[in-house]
């Protein structure tokens, strides 16, 4: 709704549609590699999961290597949604520096709290805030793509030159070739739509 286009985003999540021949590490790494943003649904069980920690590490390592980096303007590309109240002292190091989005209600700072239900007013408020943050991040990535446009030489100077746009989330590994098609505004899976890993 914010973007004005239907189906503009692709949400990638482990839907367990992996058959017995698939290498699930490779499949999940591919999902992470293709994603512009990562949403982490945080709970005590999530923090205890070695595999979830590995997924976060994979995303942060790949994002750090990209031209846009892990942080775009004043926003982080890994977004934390808290399903329970977890003391800040127990947050992993890669969560520090931002508050995340609380999807729970707790009467005291000591209890885990109850998860918000979709028809709760606070749930709707948090979803709207999350949507705004995702939209702003994707707009920032789009701006990063625009800022990285390579100015082409005029045809008189270099006949083979053509405008090329550098991807905001991947360092070019080869010499730019003739192309008039700009790179997508954020990392995608080849469909031209930004991907969010959940």
């Amino acid at each position: 709704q914010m973007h004005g286009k239907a189906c503009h985003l692709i949400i990638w999540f482990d839907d367990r549609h992996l058959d017995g021949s698939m290498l699930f590490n490779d499949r999940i790494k591919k999902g992470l590699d293709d994603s512009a943003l990562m949403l982490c649904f945080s709970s005590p069980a999530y923090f205890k999961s070695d595999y979830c920690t590995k997924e976060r590490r994979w995303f942060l390592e790949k994002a750090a290597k990209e031209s846009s980096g892990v942080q775009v303007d004043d926003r982080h590309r890994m977004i934390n949604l808290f399903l329970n109240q977890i003391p800040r002292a127990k947050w992993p190091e890669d969560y520090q520096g931002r508050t995340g989005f609380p999807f729970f209600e707790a009467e005291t700072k000591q209890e885990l709290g109850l998860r918000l239900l979709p028809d709760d007013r606070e749930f709707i408020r948090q979803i709207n805030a999350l949507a705004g943050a995702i939209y702003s991040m994707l707009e920032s990535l789009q701006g990063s793509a625009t800022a990285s446009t390579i100015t082409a030489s005029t045809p008189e100077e270099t006949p083979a030159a053509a405008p090329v746009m550098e991807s905001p989330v991947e360092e070019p590994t080869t010499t730019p070739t003739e192309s008039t098609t700009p790179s997508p505004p954020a990392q995608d899976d080849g469909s031209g739509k930004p991907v969010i890993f959940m």
Side-chain angles (χ1 to χ4, degrees):
Q1 288 175 341
M2 287 179 161
H3 191 272
K5 276 186 178 178
C7 303
H8 182 66
L9 296 175
I10 293 173
I11 307 297
W12 194 101
F13 61 96
D14 180 10
D15 56 6
R16 305 297 178 188
H17 291 155
L18 305 177
D19 68 39
S21 68
M22 290 181 178
L23 298 168
F24 60 87
N25 271 2
D26 291 350
R27 172 105 178 240
I28 290 172
K29 274 198 89 169
K30 173 79 168 66
L32 286 162
D33 287 344
D34 288 343
S35 296
L37 307 178
M38 179 179 186
L39 302 186
C40 302
F41 293 80
S42 307
S43 66
Y46 179 82
F47 285 160
K48 289 177 184 174
S49 168
D50 291 338
Y51 201 87
C52 291
T53 300
K54 187 186 296 187
E55 288 178 345
R56 290 199 318 275
R57 189 182 72 242
W58 281 341
F59 180 80
L60 292 172
E61 286 173 355
K62 79 98 185 180
K65 295 174 186 174
E66 296 165 349
S67 60
S68 58
V70 174
Q71 180 179 322
V72 179
D73 295 333
D74 60 350
R75 295 182 182 275
H76 201 282
R77 290 172 57 191
M78 189 173 74
I79 302 173
N80 312 316
L81 289 71
F82 287 94
L83 302 180
N84 297 104
Q85 180 170 236
I86 301 169
R88 191 177 293 267
K90 294 185 178 181
W91 293 7
E93 186 178 339
D94 54 42
Y95 273 44
Q96 301 302 324
R98 54 203 192 279
T99 59
F101 294 86
F103 279 84
F104 64 87
E105 285 184 328
E107 293 184 11
T108 69
K109 292 186 176 181
Q110 287 72 41
E111 62 183 359
L112 278 176
L114 298 174
R115 294 178 184 178
L116 298 175
L117 299 175
D119 56 350
D120 290 343
R121 182 183 297 268
E122 183 61 18
F123 182 95
I124 294 167
R125 192 178 78 77
Q126 289 298 333
I127 282 289
N128 287 337
L130 174 62
I134 290 171
Y135 179 76
S136 294
M137 175 62 76
L138 293 176
E139 287 290 292
S140 294
L141 286 170
Q142 174 73 46
S144 175
T146 303
S148 65
T149 302
I150 300 172
T151 304
S153 304
T154 61
E156 294 77 25
E157 294 169 348
T158 311
V164 178
M165 184 178 285
E166 179 182 332
S167 171
V169 288
E170 274 188 294
E171 293 290 345
T173 55
T174 58
T175 304
T177 57
E178 288 189 13
S179 172
T180 56
T181 305
S183 297
Q187 191 126 355
D188 67 76
D189 63 350
S191 67
K193 300 174 182 179
V195 181
I196 299 175
F197 185 95
M198 296 175 66

